[in-house]
Amino acid sequence: MSSMNRREFLQMLAAASVAGAALDASPLLAAGNADAFYDVPKFGNVHVMHFTDCHAQLLPIWFREPNVNLGIGGALGKAPHLVGEHLLKAFDIKPGTRAAHAFTYLDFAQAARTYGQVGGFAHLATLVKRLRGQRPGALLLDGGDTWQGSATALWSKGQDMVDACKLLGVDMMSAHWEFTLGDKRVQEIVAKDLKGRIEFLAQNIKTTDFGDPVFAPYAMREMNGVQVAVIGQAFPYTPIANPRYMMADWTFGIQDENMQKMVDEVRAKGAKVVVVLSHNGMDVDLKMASRVTGIDAILGGHTHDGVPRPVIVKNNGGQTLVTNAGSNGKFLALLDFDVRGGKVQEFRYKLLPVFSKLLPADAGMATYIEKVRAPHKAKLEEKLAVSEGLLYRRGNFNGSWDQLILDAIMEVQGADIGFSPGFRWGTTILPGQAITFEHLMDQTAITYPYATITEMTGQQIKTILEDVGDNLFNPDPYYQQGGDMVRVGGLQYTCDPNAAMGSRITEMRLEGKVLEAGKKYRVAGWAPVAEGAQGEPVWDVVARYLRDRKTITPRRLNQPKLIGVKGNPGIA
């Protein structure tokens, strides 16, 4: 890759001067810094690149990492449950640097203005081509959550992302949110678009009637004389976290026994390297790595954790590397293996942040993106309001984007309480930035977007909070079903993440009054998973709220009072 051009260099200097000198801007002064930052010397003879959870973000974006990612039980104080300074210290990352900005929420708004936006498929394509040029035969793996998360992906039923991934050169993928396009649409894409180009892998999806595999469980490739197997693991709890009716004829699940069978099968076929392309979530992957033997690495996704180094898990067959490669196109992971004597001898791993200012846009991908967005440009760029504060999503309990959605659906629909799903996808907006319709869709673009009003008793509300809390904080990762805590508007409550199931939520109050178990309350929500649900799309509800106000003041987050988390390095 050539050094950045003069225009790009001047843009970087301008960004640095706007942000001030509090951050380490000195690396920006070296025109050759792009080459230095992405210079990863070739190692070994088996090479795998991995991205995951891009959530259909074709353009560079802002994305703030969480300041709350609590580890409970055996996960306390361990990756991925480290935030801020705790993460920097654990991975020896210097504060105030570009890497510190990539991996933490610290000084986010200022650092974002200094270092620029991240991701974007045109910039990702440049990095992929650079690494592939140094590593002939390298595989590019997509962990899933690729065809959902933007307006254009929703409107094209995933087609814009399917074509972008083909252009990017993806070799294999697994999935989760893809299934919310419906089983028929997924099978159509696999049969027509991906056939002969991209392997769609999922060892844990079978038919409900006879238990037949729906997709290929694995794929094998020879690389530099070494047989490499990649086994797919789709999100195990898709029919629980998302509407069951969208994939009614398929079963999912973790399925350790079948995973072990697949590992043994590919080893018997001559695989010297076995990689699992997983959408389990990192805690689940860590447990799986301790139980299933013969896996060299699990390249994981779903929980959106940007973890700089793999966790090495010992098991009865040796060891397994467990990784997680962030989200929103923000990172590209590179795993190099040195395979000699029929087995892995050593490895090198690098999780590379994709800084759009350091990586020139690939011309072919940039042209494609412009073309696919052109018919929707006016609608996407409609300015709904201006945000005075930082708007972000992510964190175990709430984010300012989530709070804005709650405030909107409660006011527009006249509700006492609001519930918003604990989705982990969604881009960030800096203070002073206009909120466009596209930004709103980044938070809400799903195939079941209905805004609802429901009469619920105090006991029903507690049951919902307890159920979601157990999904998030159950000490056994195999009972964690994805996502963060449901975001709550209007209602104050206390949460003890370490408590037993059914006992985590106490002190529920509405306007200072204790919630009554038998009394009914008017609750606004959206994204119902029940079949037949109806309602106005939530983006129309929130857009109306934003247009009416024109200026959005900084949000005051409705956070629960937490018990038993003092000293936990997963909370700032």
Side-chain angles (χ1 to χ4, degrees):
M1 183 185 74
S2 62
S3 297
M4 70 188 77
N5 63 37
R6 182 173 181 273
R7 180 171 170 270
E8 290 163 339
F9 177 53
L10 292 174
Q11 284 178 335
M12 292 175 69
L13 291 181
S17 66
V18 168
L23 295 163
D24 180 11
S26 58
L28 298 176
L29 301 177
N33 187 53
D35 286 334
F37 191 78
Y38 293 109
D39 182 21
V40 186
K42 181 185 175 186
F43 176 82
N45 51 354
V46 170
H47 317 288
V48 181
M49 295 176 286
H50 172 233
F51 72 95
T52 189
D53 298 272
C54 75
H55 284 285
Q57 295 301 323
L58 287 173
L59 295 178
I61 49 104
W62 313 111
F63 185 78
R64 177 191 182 274
E65 298 297 330
N67 64 316
V68 184
N69 187 0
L70 292 170
I72 301 300
L76 175 65
K78 299 176 183 176
H81 302 287
L82 302 166
V83 300
E85 288 91 347
H86 301 292
L87 185 147
L88 298 183
K89 184 177 179 181
F91 293 103
D92 302 314
I93 298 172
K94 182 182 175 184
T97 61
R98 186 183 283 113
H101 171 52
F103 288 104
T104 73
Y105 69 91
L106 298 167
D107 301 312
F108 180 81
Q110 184 180 349
R113 291 190 173 104
T114 299
Y115 298 121
Q117 292 183 307
V118 293
F121 261 51
H123 307 276
L124 179 62
T126 296
L127 183 55
V128 167
K129 286 182 178 178
R130 175 190 174 117
L131 296 175
R132 267 201 167 129
Q134 300 166 339
R135 295 163 169 81
L139 292 173
L140 177 60
L141 307 184
D142 169 6
D145 280 6
T146 305
W147 307 346
Q148 176 276 335
S150 72
T152 56
L154 180 69
W155 297 335
S156 69
K157 299 180 181 178
Q159 194 66 48
D160 65 332
M161 296 309 302
V162 171
D163 293 339
C165 286
K166 287 162 68 176
L167 193 58
L168 188 65
V170 170
D171 294 293
M172 303 168 192
M173 70 175 293
S174 198
H176 167 206
W177 272 91
E178 284 74 8
F179 300 117
T180 63
L181 294 173
D183 50 9
K184 289 180 175 58
R185 175 60 177 152
V186 172
Q187 288 180 309
E188 177 187 37
I189 291 172
V190 172
K192 293 183 180 178
D193 294 284
L194 304 190
K195 190 173 183 180
R197 297 287 299 275
I198 300 174
E199 299 272 9
F200 192 96
L201 306 175
Q203 71 86 24
N204 59 328
I205 302 180
K206 297 180 172 61
T207 60
T208 53
D209 49 9
F210 299 111
D212 296 326
V214 177
F215 305 103
Y218 60 80
M220 297 184 69
R221 295 283 189 277
E222 184 178 305
M223 190 185 308
N224 302 316
V226 179
Q227 281 287 344
V228 179
V230 178
I231 305 172
Q233 175 82 355
F235 180 52
Y237 295 109
T238 300
I240 297 172
N242 306 103
R244 180 81 183 99
Y245 63 87
M246 293 180 170
M247 64 299 288
D249 297 328
W250 299 343
T251 65
F252 288 72
I254 296 171
Q255 300 192 21
D256 279 350
E257 288 185 11
N258 198 61
M259 177 64 78
Q260 185 67 68
K261 181 181 175 184
M262 294 299 99
V263 174
D264 295 344
E265 189 172 304
V266 297
R267 289 286 185 189
K269 289 183 176 181
K272 306 304 180 190
V273 176
V274 178
V275 171
V276 170
L277 178 60
S278 167
H279 207 92
N280 279 336
M282 190 160 179
D283 287 334
V284 177
D285 285 335
L286 289 167
K287 181 172 178 178
M288 175 179 278
S290 73
R291 292 161 59 96
V292 179
T293 61
I295 301 171
D296 293 299
I298 300 178
L299 302 182
H302 179 63
T303 38
H304 293 199
D305 302 305
V307 181
R309 289 196 300 268
V311 175
I312 299 175
V313 178
K314 303 289 185 181
N315 54 47
N316 291 335
Q319 68 178 36
T320 299
L321 309 176
V322 178
T323 73
N324 208 276
S327 67
N328 288 275
K330 185 176 177 179
F331 296 100
L332 179 67
L334 174 64
L335 178 59
D336 292 328
F337 284 117
D338 177 18
V339 183
R340 286 175 284 119
K343 66 177 185 177
V344 173
Q345 302 292 337
E346 289 185 72
F347 76 91
R348 298 284 186 275
Y349 181 83
K350 191 84 171 176
L351 187 55
L352 296 163
V354 180
F355 283 104
S356 62
K357 285 186 177 180
L358 290 188
L359 293 162
D362 176 78
M365 186 67 80
T367 299
Y368 166 74
I369 293 170
E370 185 177 3
K371 179 182 176 182
V372 81
R373 290 171 54 83
H376 311 289
K377 188 175 173 64
K379 188 169 182 62
L380 293 172
E381 293 180 355
E382 181 196 352
K383 292 182 179 179
L384 302 175
V386 172
S387 177
E388 292 181 343
L390 182 70
L391 292 179
Y392 62 90
R393 171 183 281 170
R394 189 67 178 90
N396 286 160
F397 295 99
N398 208 350
S400 47
W401 246 122
D402 297 298
Q403 188 65 55
L404 178 56
I405 291 171
L406 285 167
D407 293 345
I409 63 174
M410 289 170 63
E411 179 163 326
V412 173
Q413 298 185 104
D416 307 304
I417 296 169
F419 281 168
S420 188
F423 294 149
R424 292 183 170 180
W425 43 271
T427 59
T428 300
I429 286 182
L430 300 184
Q433 189 177 351
I435 304 172
T436 65
F437 188 74
E438 180 167 27
H439 292 139
L440 174 57
M441 292 299 285
D442 287 350
Q443 315 297 319
T444 58
I446 63 174
T447 53
Y448 50 106
Y450 316 112
T452 60
I453 283 287
T454 310
E455 295 283 328
M456 292 186 189
T457 65
Q459 183 58 50
Q460 288 173 321
I461 291 169
K462 176 174 165 58
T463 298
I464 289 171
L465 294 178
E466 291 283 8
D467 284 350
V468 181
D470 195 60
N471 288 344
L472 182 61
F473 297 121
N474 193 299
D476 184 343
Y478 279 23
Y479 290 94
Q480 296 171 4
Q481 296 169 0
D484 280 312
M485 189 67 181
V486 60
R487 282 61 168 111
V488 180
L491 177 74
Q492 285 76 51
Y493 68 97
T494 297
C495 177
D496 181 353
N498 294 289
M501 185 189 306
S503 303
R504 292 185 177 91
I505 309 299
T506 55
E507 291 292 313
M508 297 188 302
R509 294 178 181 271
L510 184 62
E511 296 180 348
K513 297 179 181 178
V514 174
L515 224 62
E516 298 176 36
K519 183 178 177 180
K520 287 188 176 180
Y521 300 88
R522 189 173 166 86
V523 181
W526 66 285
V529 297
E531 188 169 10
Q534 294 180 329
E536 187 179 10
V538 69
W539 51 76
D540 286 342
V541 175
V542 179
R544 199 153 63 245
Y545 177 91
L546 295 174
R547 290 187 190 107
D548 285 347
R549 274 149 192 79
K550 296 184 175 57
T551 299
I552 301 301
T553 55
R555 298 293 96 179
R556 183 175 177 271
L557 298 190
N558 185 48
Q559 302 269 36
K561 178 183 177 182
L562 297 179
I563 296 175
V565 299
K566 187 176 181 180
N568 190 313
I571 187 168

